[in-house]
Amino acid sequence: MNDRIRELEKQIQQLRTDTRVLEVADEARTKAKPVAGYQDGFFLNSPDGKAFKLKLGGYVQADSRFALDEKDNPTVDSFSLRRARLDFRGTVGELFDFRILPDFAGSTLVLQDAYVDHKFAPWATLRVGKFKTPYGI
């Protein structure tokens, strides 16, 4: 009988130790800060690097024409942005990826890409939204 009581006391002590380890791990996880930096674009990740990711990028294409010695007709000179795109890519959990690619050039806002991918398996992904066709002539 005493052996059984000692065994149960050891199990209770082990459970208390395991519970405290889990509490400490949970506290550390809640105190962890997101990771930010620059590598092929600016990024912001969750502390574990898997749950949430956001990557910011973009590019600009400009066009300009300047004529030398055209003081009488300054309308020849011009500068325009042909493309001004911000690229937002991200991951939510391990199942969802997204991309938003707006184009701010000209006088209108055009969404070049805006889609969400759902990864069912490594070989099966469902994409919903506006995106370029993957293959063309």
Side-chain angles (χ1 to χ4, degrees):
M1 185 71 170
N2 287 338
D3 291 338
R4 180 72 178 146
I5 291 173
R6 274 188 240 123
E7 183 182 328
L8 289 173
E9 286 176 350
K10 285 180 185 178
Q11 288 178 356
I12 290 171
Q13 185 60 33
Q14 183 63 36
L15 287 173
R16 287 181 182 157
T17 304
D18 292 345
T19 302
R20 182 62 190 146
V21 167
L22 290 174
E23 288 173 354
V24 168
D26 191 40
E27 289 171 8
R29 189 182 52 182
T30 57
K31 290 180 182 178
K33 296 180 180 176
V35 179
Y38 182 86
Q39 182 178 7
D40 296 328
F42 293 101
F43 67 88
L44 181 65
N45 292 344
S46 60
D48 63 356
K50 295 180 182 178
F52 301 100
K53 296 179 184 178
L54 178 64
K55 186 173 180 183
L56 304 172
Y59 57 93
V60 174
Q61 180 182 7
D63 187 15
S64 63
R65 294 182 185 96
F66 299 102
L68 301 175
D69 299 330
E70 281 292 330
K71 296 176 184 171
D72 296 335
N73 189 7
T75 59
V76 175
D77 297 342
S78 67
F79 178 82
S80 63
L81 292 175
R82 299 185 71 155
R83 293 184 182 109
R85 297 180 180 172
L86 288 175
D87 191 4
F88 302 97
R89 297 175 189 228
T91 300
V92 179
E94 295 182 2
L95 297 178
F96 295 99
D97 291 337
F98 66 90
R99 183 177 188 193
I100 300 171
L101 183 68
D103 190 348
F104 296 100
S107 60
T108 60
L109 173 67
V110 178
L111 275 176
Q112 298 295 327
D113 285 332
Y115 60 82
V116 175
D117 288 342
H118 183 276
K119 296 182 273 189
F120 294 100
W123 49 269
T125 301
L126 174 66
R127 179 172 286 178
V128 176
K130 181 179 187 282
F131 52 91
K132 297 177 190 169
T133 52
Y135 303 104
I137 296 178

